[in-house]
């Protein structure tokens, strides 16, 4: 007797359902994605008992004909592809035709649907793959799915579900992944009669704010835009400013409107932030990739979020460059501008107070501005140097591209003020700007020292009495390696026996500062980072030197000194953060001030 036979459909579907529908959240994901594929601009999700008792999705999409409504529950029934080649030009979330067949195998499903062109709609009830009834009903255009008693006929799976709190959290996670990439659609999420989320249609940025902006300060003000277009891929979205990084960041990648996890691309983003973050702190990001469907693995499993790209290394580079560019480019004034979408909504509030509306900052480019017009710290420091020992690099030092591109901000005529012995404050572009004097100067010095290092011409000052620095073996070794770079920076060092160096000259801008702590700082960094690139060493040499020569807190500044400092700061392209990634400035907008009154 032959013993092989085909499984009845309902059993086959139940087995398949095990893969696709693992929990309420996966069921909801399938239903909501179907609504979006049907062109809905409004999707309402209603759950009871974290989806165990009921999951309902109501959309205003294109609906189904009576025949399609019945067909939709068959396995491999789909309107989205008709041949294998279609897989390579996929525009929809679904394509396998498996979801509804799986859902109706393990739940009690009721659907009411109607197309625009039809008079009457269709109601179908299916329990465990068995059609209970199908009839014509009066209804509006769109589709209304009710999935009741999930896994009612699969007790093992029902037991496998977690607590309601956990399942609801899973639902919200899936919901967020979908709403963040579909800001054009209005979403509503109701759980046990409580509205958990109501998201009007808007821009990507507004959607991010709607989902994560619970605190007083807007969430999106901690983000900057990222955008790049290449032949291979276009990338857009938002990334967190380094100072807003924290231990629980929101990190989202999407490709062709689909949420994805991508540890490799995550690394690219983190690489761009190197040196800017506190330990254990990571930035939030919302990064959207658009790529031709044939450049990714289309056979995406419904429950899997990892996606393979044909050209991962090239995209890694493009992503890294895009994140770097945004981090380098943004600064405080455009970040006020960045708020304009939201500010527009707030405008009536401002005019109520008769205050001037927010103005876009005036940015003008001053190609003749030369940061070398002022000698580094000339107004603040009296370096002890022998004039003849000066190697004059100023005339020849080529301005690098950065300085030439640097935007020059039209600073207002109003005199800046020093407050609390550490901040320079000045009204600017409808906001009050606060600049940290030490960090501002540190950033300027860093930039100028870097240029000097690149030009390999340090301005030296001969020591009247050479000093020595005593080192251990490891430090001696490192010092020998770094000697050329230190020489370029202006340190003239000469080995004295096995454990010391004589310091014959130091960089002019160190003034009266003791050179030993700075050298030890540089050595400590290089030994810690284990780096072997001159570029890295030079970065650290510039960082350590800039930190030690920068105007200290508590130092009183004249109006001219403050104006000079601001002018030099804003002449830099990267002026919002210190080389170590700490914010140099912040602002309080008129809007924020108004809210306090
Ligand atoms: P897939 O989405 O992979 O095509 P599904 O089983 O999820 O498979 O859905 C089967 C078919 O049912 C879809 O291709 C679509 O034509 C139709 N359908 C499902 N949900 C909706 C909806 N909300 N509005 C209109 N049509 C729908
Ligand atoms: Mg589907």
């Amino acid at each position: 007797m032959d013993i092989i036979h085909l499984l009845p459909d309902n059993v086959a579907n139940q087995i398949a359902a095990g893969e696709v529908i693992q929990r309420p959240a996966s069921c909801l994901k399938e239903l909501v994605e179907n609504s979006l594929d049907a062109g809905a601009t409004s999707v309402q999700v209603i759950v009871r008992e974290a989806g165990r008792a009921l999951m309902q999705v109501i959309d205003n999409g294109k609906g189904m004909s009576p025949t399609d409504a019945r067909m939709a529950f068959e396995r491999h029934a789909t309107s989205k592809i008709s041949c294998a080649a279609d897989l390579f030009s996929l525009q929809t979330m679904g394509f396998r035709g498996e979801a509804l067949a799986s859902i109706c195998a393990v739940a009690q499903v009721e659907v009411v649907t109607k197309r625009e062109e039809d008079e009457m709609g269709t109601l179908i009830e299916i329990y465990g793959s068995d059609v209970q009834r199908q009839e014509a009903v009066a209804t509006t255009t769109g589709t209304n799915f009710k999935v009741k008693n999930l896994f009612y006929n699969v007790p093992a799976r029902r037991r496998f579900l977690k607590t309601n709190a956990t399942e609801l959290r899973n639902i919200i996670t899936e919901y967020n992944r979908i709403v963040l990439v579909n800001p054009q659609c209005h979403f509503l999420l109701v759980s046990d009669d409580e509205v958990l989320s109501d998201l009007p249609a808007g821009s990507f940025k507004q959607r991010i704010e709607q989902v994560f902006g619970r605190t007083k300060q807007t969430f999106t003000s901690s983000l900057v835009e990222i955008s790049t277009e290449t032949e291979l891929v276009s990338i857009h979205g938002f990334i967190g400013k380094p100072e807003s990084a924290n231990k629980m960041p929101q990190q989202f990648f999407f490709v062709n409107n689909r949420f994805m996890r991508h540890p490799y691309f995550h690394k690219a983003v983190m690489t761009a932030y190197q040196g800017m973050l506190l330990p254990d702190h990571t930035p939030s990001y919302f990064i959207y990739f658009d790529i031709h469907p044939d450049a990714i693995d289309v056979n995406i499993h419904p429950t899997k979020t990892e996606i393979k790209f044909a050209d991962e290394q090239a995209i890694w580079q493009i992503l890294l460059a895009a994140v770097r560019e945004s981090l380098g480019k943004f600064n405080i004034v455009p970040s006020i501008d960045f708020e304009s979408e939201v500010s527009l909504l707030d405008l009536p509030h401002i005019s109520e107070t008769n205050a001037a509306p927010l103005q876009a900052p005036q940015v003008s480019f001053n190609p003749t501005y030369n940061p070398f017009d002022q000698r580094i710290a000339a107004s603040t420091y009296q370096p002890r140097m022998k004039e003849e020992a000066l190697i004059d690099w100023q005339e020849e030092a080529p301005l690098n591209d950065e300085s030439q591109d640097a935007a020059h901000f039209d600073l207002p005529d109003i005199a800046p003020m020093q407050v609390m012995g550490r901040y320079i404050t000045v009204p600017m572009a409808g906001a009050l700007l606060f600049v940290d004097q030490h960090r501002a100067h540190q950033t300027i010095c860093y930039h100028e020292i870097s240029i000097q290092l690149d030009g390999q011409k340090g301005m030296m000052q001969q020591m009247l009495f050479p000093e020595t620095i005593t080192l251990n073996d490891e430090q001696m070794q490192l010092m020998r390696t770094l000697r050329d770079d230190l020489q370029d920076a202006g340190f003239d060092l000469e080995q004295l026996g096995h454990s010391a160096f004589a310091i014959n000259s130091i960089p002019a801008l160190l003034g009266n500062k003791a050179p030993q702590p700075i050298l030890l700082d540089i050595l400590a960094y290089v030994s810690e980072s284990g780096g072997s690139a001159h570029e890295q060493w030079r970065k650290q040499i510039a960082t350590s030197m800039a930190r030690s020569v920068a105007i200290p807190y508590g130092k009183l500044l004249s109006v001219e000194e403050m104006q000079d400092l601001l002018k030099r700061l804003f002449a830099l392209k990267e002026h919002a953060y210190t080389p170590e990634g700490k914010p140099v400035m912040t602002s309080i907008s008129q809007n924020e001030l108004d809210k306090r009154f």
Side-chain angles (χ1 to χ4, degrees):
M1 192 180 86
D2 298 332
I3 52 170
I4 297 180
H5 58 91
L6 284 174
L7 288 173
D9 276 355
N10 60 340
V11 180
N13 284 343
Q14 232 185 57
I15 294 168
E19 266 199 74
V20 185
I21 307 300
Q22 292 161 331
R23 47 180 16 96
S26 38
C27 176
L28 266 175
K29 169 180 179 280
E30 294 296 334
L31 294 178
V32 174
E33 286 184 351
N34 278 346
S35 296
L36 292 165
D37 282 345
T41 56
S42 165
V43 175
Q44 300 175 37
V45 180
I46 297 161
V47 299
R48 290 198 181 280
E49 294 175 35
R52 265 176 236 265
L54 172 76
M55 280 174 284
Q56 184 173 10
V57 174
I58 307 167
D59 70 47
N60 64 352
K62 63 177 186 236
M64 287 176 271
S65 72
T67 321
D68 282 350
R70 177 63 198 84
M71 266 299 280
F73 292 95
E74 294 297 329
R75 254 181 113 193
H76 309 305
T78 179
S79 56
K80 298 169 194 174
I81 57 170
S82 48
C83 61
D86 291 349
L87 283 172
F88 299 99
S89 55
L90 212 55
Q91 301 291 335
T92 53
M93 304 300 292
F95 61 89
R96 297 165 158 258
E98 266 180 355
L100 292 186
S102 300
I103 293 169
C104 78
V106 294
Q108 299 167 337
V109 177
E110 180 193 306
V111 58
V112 175
T113 183
K114 185 182 96 65
R115 297 183 301 178
E116 176 101 66
E117 62 265 39
D118 295 333
E119 264 300 278
M120 292 291 281
T122 309
L123 177 149
I124 298 181
E125 229 176 44
I126 303 186
Y127 290 4
S129 301
D130 283 338
V131 179
Q132 309 289 309
R133 65 184 171 126
Q134 169 158 6
E135 56 198 49
V137 291
T139 181
T140 51
T141 300
T143 304
N144 182 344
F145 262 101
K146 275 188 202 167
V147 176
K148 290 179 280 187
N149 303 319
L150 186 67
F151 300 137
Y152 80 105
N153 52 354
V154 202
R157 291 210 73 100
R158 205 171 165 85
R159 277 197 300 275
F160 175 76
L161 293 180
K162 306 266 167 47
T163 61
N164 279 2
T166 305
E167 294 300 343
L168 189 61
R169 230 186 5 256
N170 288 328
I171 287 176
I172 292 170
T173 301
E174 288 292 351
Y175 174 85
N176 283 345
R177 289 174 181 176
I178 295 175
V179 303
L180 282 170
V181 78
N182 290 285
Q184 78 292 348
C185 183
H186 167 238
F187 286 93
L188 182 78
L189 174 62
V190 179
S191 164
D192 293 331
D193 296 324
E194 189 193 345
V195 177
L196 296 186
S197 159
D198 186 357
L199 314 171
S203 66
F204 278 108
K205 197 182 127 216
Q206 285 166 335
R207 180 53 52 87
I208 294 170
E209 188 64 51
Q210 291 162 355
V211 176
F212 296 111
R214 297 216 165 73
T215 48
K216 270 188 225 147
Q217 225 200 347
T218 56
F219 178 77
T220 43
S221 63
S222 67
L223 302 177
V224 284
E225 214 164 341
I226 148 176
S227 174
T228 193
E229 301 274 343
T230 66
E231 261 178 35
L232 181 60
V233 64
S234 82
I235 300 174
H236 67 279
F238 302 94
I239 56 171
K241 296 178 188 171
E243 85 269 19
S244 68
N246 58 58
K247 290 181 181 161
M248 292 181 66
Q250 302 294 343
Q251 300 179 329
F252 291 87
F253 281 133
F254 301 94
V255 57
N256 297 356
N257 290 348
R258 212 181 276 276
F259 170 82
M260 69 161 175
R261 252 186 249 282
H262 211 295
Y264 184 60
F265 291 166
H266 173 80
K267 268 228 175 92
V269 177
M270 292 306 123
T271 304
Y273 279 87
Q274 236 164 39
M276 296 185 186
L277 303 172
L278 295 170
D280 298 337
H281 285 50
T282 37
S284 294
Y285 57 76
F286 303 84
I287 298 178
Y288 302 82
F289 297 81
D290 280 297
I291 190 163
H292 194 275
D294 71 5
I296 55 174
D297 174 11
V298 287
N299 200 12
I300 306 144
H301 190 274
T303 60
K304 295 254 171 14
T305 48
E306 277 87 10
I307 290 183
K308 278 215 159 22
F309 286 67
D311 215 342
E312 299 205 324
Q313 271 170 17
I315 297 175
W316 200 92
Q317 296 293 348
I318 295 167
L319 176 63
L320 173 67
V323 175
R324 277 210 175 126
E325 194 199 327
S326 295
L327 286 174
K329 194 167 58 182
F330 79 83
N331 56 56
I332 197 74
V333 178
S335 89
I336 296 169
D337 193 22
F338 179 76
E339 276 310 295
S340 57
E341 266 177 64
V342 173
S343 307
L344 284 179
L345 305 173
D346 290 337
L347 276 179
H349 173 65
I350 293 176
S351 54
E352 268 164 35
T353 65
N354 280 336
L358 273 185
Q359 281 172 354
Q362 264 194 332
V363 181
S364 67
F365 171 60
N366 177 358
T368 61
Y369 183 71
N370 180 346
F372 295 91
D373 282 346
Q374 319 269 330
R375 285 201 173 181
I376 297 171
S379 55
T380 330
Y381 299 99
Q382 298 296 321
R384 37 158 200 187
M385 61 177 86
K386 287 189 192 166
E387 278 306 323
E388 66 274 18
L390 278 183
I391 300 166
D392 193 13
W393 50 274
Q394 294 185 64
E395 242 100 90
E396 295 158 59
L399 283 180
N400 70 6
D401 286 349
E402 268 182 26
S403 336
Q404 279 173 355
D405 288 353
H408 169 60
F409 289 87
D410 279 341
L411 288 164
D413 287 337
I414 304 162
M417 220 169 68
Q418 189 181 25
V419 292
M420 298 163 195
R422 56 193 296 152
Y423 302 116
I424 299 168
T425 177
V426 66
M428 197 171 180
L432 199 54
L433 188 70
F434 290 88
V435 176
D436 182 306
Q437 66 184 49
H438 173 71
R439 292 183 185 175
H441 195 217
Q442 189 187 342
T443 308
I444 295 166
C445 292
Y446 172 82
H447 189 75
E448 297 184 355
I449 296 164
S450 302
I451 291 173
Q452 182 180 331
L453 274 169
D454 286 346
Q456 305 207 349
K457 285 187 175 192
M459 195 170 30
M460 287 183 173
Q461 57 174 318
Q462 208 102 50
M463 305 289 278
L464 291 177
F465 306 100
E467 297 196 23
T468 52
I469 179 167
T470 314
L471 303 170
N472 65 26
D473 286 353
E474 195 211 340
Q475 289 168 326
M476 284 299 285
Q477 174 62 33
L478 274 174
M479 192 67 120
R480 279 192 289 269
T481 324
L482 287 177
R483 206 160 140 195
D484 286 349
D485 293 298
L486 288 166
Q487 174 92 30
D488 289 340
F491 289 98
D492 178 21
L493 304 164
E494 189 188 332
Q495 189 164 345
L496 293 177
H498 291 301
S499 58
F501 271 88
I503 307 170
N504 296 325
S505 300
I506 61 169
L509 64 93
L510 290 190
N512 293 324
K513 295 266 174 341
Q516 289 90 341
I518 300 168
L519 287 171
L520 289 174
D521 193 41
I522 296 168
L523 291 179
Y525 168 81
V526 173
S527 125
E528 217 174 85
S529 68
S532 59
H534 285 276
E535 196 189 314
Q536 265 179 348
W537 296 339
R538 283 162 180 263
K539 197 169 170 218
Q540 182 55 27
I541 290 170
T543 306
S544 300
M545 282 170 59
R547 196 166 43 213
S548 67
V549 300
I551 307 169
Y553 293 122
K555 164 136 183 99
L556 290 183
L557 300 174
S558 70
V559 170
E560 292 72 34
E561 282 172 327
M562 288 189 276
Q563 278 169 335
D564 176 51
L565 197 73
L566 292 180
K567 198 168 116 194
R568 287 159 66 195
L569 181 68
F570 281 113
L572 300 179
K573 207 165 149 194
E574 297 173 11
H575 54 253
Y577 288 87
T578 67
E580 294 154 301
K582 294 185 183 143
V584 171
M585 58 186 78
T586 186
S587 71
I588 298 183
S589 69
Q590 165 141 28
N591 203 0
E592 283 168 73
L593 266 182
D594 288 348
K595 280 187 191 147
R596 297 191 180 210
F597 288 100

